[in-house]
Amino acid sequence: MSKPTIFCVIGTRPEAIKVAPVMLEFKKFSDVCNPLLISTGQHKEILYQSLATFGLTPDEDLAIMQHGSTLAQVTCRALEGIDRLIAQHEPAYVLGQGDTTTTLVAAMGAFYRNVPFGHIEAGLRTDTVRNPFPEEYNRRVASVSADLHFPPTTWSRDNLLREHHDPSKIFVTGNTGIDAVVLAANQGEQPWYPDFTGRVVLLTTHRRENWGEPQKNIAKAALELVNRYPDILLVAAMHPNPTVREVLIPILGNHDRIKLIEPPEYELFVKLMQRSSLILSDSGGVQEEAPAFGIPVLVLRDTTERPEGVTAGTAKLVGTVAERIIDEGSALLGDPAAYKAMANAVSPYGDGKASERIRYLVLKSLGIETPAVPMWD
Ligand code: UDP
């Protein structure tokens, strides 16, 4: 009997990072399965850069991205490409991660060809389908299409149960992003600012709903925090998107304690998080990763589909109004007791074994027994 092919589909940086440990896990079992890493190419450089940390490159790259494409155009190109690859390779299973347009087309492409689809990081929800846009829509469609759901936490599992998905198909695995961060943290040296003795504050902002005025407020607030606290070095890892840079550079580009840097490749970014005292971010992945190192995150959004960190006390939702960000930032930077309370909270997102659980469950559904790991709940 030939080995079943398993598609691990990625398109953007966060998917590359969170799927890489899953791909590596299936590769360990390549005597019984044939994992293929499929990229739609929704992101280009930063996707390859992130995969490099794990020694991976895509087996197929659809390279669908063209400058100025609408969401519908990206979706159509990616769906056509995935459909072609499914016809060519005849996978026994398709895996997608999270909530991007790539996730959406992986789910739809598998559904149209009647191939089972497994959804990694399933069950994250806000209360409105339009926010975050289009991610909330994408992940809901992925759930409808999924044969196996891999929610990272019991909160995300409960969201799926509330939507009446089959409980026997839902498994709490922990987040594969924690597997990735553990792999990256355990390799290489700490290269960031060895001679700087003050506190590093890391800023990342890229989300579509923060483009324009909200991002201006974020940049202004970060500048004010630097001016208030003379021991701070603000490091902004700038997303390549020009819309983001056009806002950040004029406000933050001319200060001797602010570094505007190109987005570091994943391993270096993980090291930069470890070097930071505080993180200001609208990124989903960063909200999950930072608590693994006990670093407080102020979340630059009004809602989050990752409330576990807020409940555990590792993250705080501060929105995008400048005064609020300045107040919350000052409350931590100026108060060691408040800081310590937040830095000591325990990460709720996983134990670094999510990929092993997913490998076990997918292969088992294909009738192949491999070593099991107890579930995360
Ligand atoms: N990341 C990175 N370099 C950077 C900024 C982020 O490698 O300069 C990583 C980060 O550790 C996380 C992922 O990229 O794993 C998050 O991606 P992003 O913020 O683009 O997307 P989101 O998580 O919000 O969907």
Side-chain angles (χ1 to χ4, degrees):
M1 197 183 81
S2 66
K3 291 186 286 187
T5 292
I6 294 165
F7 270 18
C8 295
V9 183
I10 59 174
T12 64
R13 174 173 64 190
E15 290 162 278
I17 291 165
K18 289 176 170 178
V19 171
V22 179
M23 185 66 198
L24 290 176
E25 182 62 25
F26 279 112
K27 272 176 170 271
K28 286 188 203 156
F29 291 81
S30 53
D31 55 330
V32 292
C33 65
N34 173 36
L36 290 182
L37 189 59
I38 308 291
S39 172
T40 60
Q42 205 182 326
H43 284 170
K44 285 184 251 175
E45 290 80 10
I46 56 176
L47 179 137
Y48 276 83
Q49 211 191 41
S50 309
L51 288 177
T53 298
F54 305 94
L56 291 170
T57 46
D59 295 294
E60 297 275 6
D61 188 348
L62 294 168
I64 49 118
M65 212 51 196
Q66 292 167 16
H67 188 65
S69 303
T70 64
L71 278 173
Q73 288 166 336
V74 174
T75 305
C76 290
R77 281 198 292 272
L79 185 55
E80 259 175 8
I82 289 280
D83 184 55
R84 182 163 32 83
L85 291 179
I86 293 177
Q88 184 185 334
H89 294 280
E90 299 183 347
Y93 225 97
V94 173
L95 290 170
Q97 192 280 338
D99 52 23
T100 67
T101 301
T102 294
T103 321
L104 175 79
V105 301
M108 288 171 72
F111 181 80
Y112 286 151
R113 289 263 175 195
N114 212 12
V115 178
F117 174 72
H119 190 204
I120 303 170
E121 200 183 57
L124 276 63
R125 292 290 185 273
T126 62
D127 55 7
T128 151
V129 73
R130 289 182 188 277
N131 185 13
F133 179 91
E135 288 84 0
E136 181 71 19
Y137 174 79
N138 293 342
R139 58 190 171 222
R140 290 190 193 194
V141 176
S143 293
V144 169
S145 323
D147 296 86
L148 285 175
H149 309 258
F150 304 119
T153 63
T154 50
W155 177 79
S156 39
R157 176 200 58 199
D158 291 347
N159 288 335
L160 293 167
L161 292 175
R162 215 171 293 121
E163 291 171 9
H164 306 292
H165 295 289
D166 179 351
S168 70
K169 307 279 184 192
I170 303 174
F171 299 91
V172 180
T173 57
N175 199 305
T176 60
I178 303 303
D179 305 15
V181 95
V182 169
L183 285 171
N186 287 336
Q187 58 193 41
E189 301 291 307
Q190 173 54 265
W192 293 100
Y193 313 114
D195 301 325
F196 177 69
T197 53
R199 292 179 290 180
V200 172
V201 175
L202 172 61
L203 169 67
T204 83
T205 167
H206 71 92
R207 292 196 81 90
R208 191 179 283 260
E209 70 263 26
N210 280 349
W211 288 356
E213 208 52 39
Q215 226 142 37
K216 246 185 224 168
N217 297 337
I218 291 168
K220 283 184 192 156
L223 179 64
E224 172 59 21
L225 287 173
V226 174
N227 287 331
R228 264 190 205 185
Y229 297 95
D231 68 323
I232 278 178
L233 180 70
L234 179 80
V235 182
M238 286 196 300
H239 199 272
N241 192 317
T243 316
V244 176
R245 294 184 172 215
E246 276 160 24
V247 171
L248 295 188
I249 294 171
I251 300 173
L252 298 174
N254 189 22
H255 195 294
D256 59 351
R257 284 186 291 111
I258 298 181
K259 306 257 187 220
L260 295 180
I261 62 170
E262 290 303 314
E265 53 104 340
Y266 182 61
E267 184 187 328
L268 284 175
F269 186 76
V270 170
K271 297 276 174 344
L272 181 55
M273 282 196 284
Q274 287 180 294
R275 177 71 181 81
S276 304
S277 297
L278 175 64
I279 300 179
L280 310 176
S281 182
D282 58 13
S283 157
V286 171
Q287 272 174 71
E288 291 155 358
E289 292 163 348
F293 306 122
I295 299 160
V297 186
L298 296 183
V299 181
L300 306 165
R301 296 180 56 195
D302 296 318
T303 56
T304 181
E305 53 284 78
R306 293 169 174 85
E308 299 94 335
V310 177
T311 307
T314 66
K316 193 160 194 184
L317 268 186
V318 300
T320 55
V321 173
E323 290 70 29
R324 174 91 198 277
I325 301 169
I326 296 165
D327 287 350
E328 297 285 0
S330 300
L332 285 176
L333 292 166
D335 181 351
Y339 180 85
K340 204 165 163 230
M342 210 167 163
N344 278 347
V346 173
S347 167
Y349 291 112
D351 61 354
K353 293 185 193 305
S355 309
E356 292 177 53
R357 298 185 178 105
I358 291 167
R359 177 264 303 151
Y360 167 75
L361 291 162
V362 169
L363 291 181
K364 187 174 152 71
S365 81
L366 296 173
I368 301 170
E369 278 300 328
T370 52
V373 180
M375 289 300 132
W376 167 239
D377 58 343

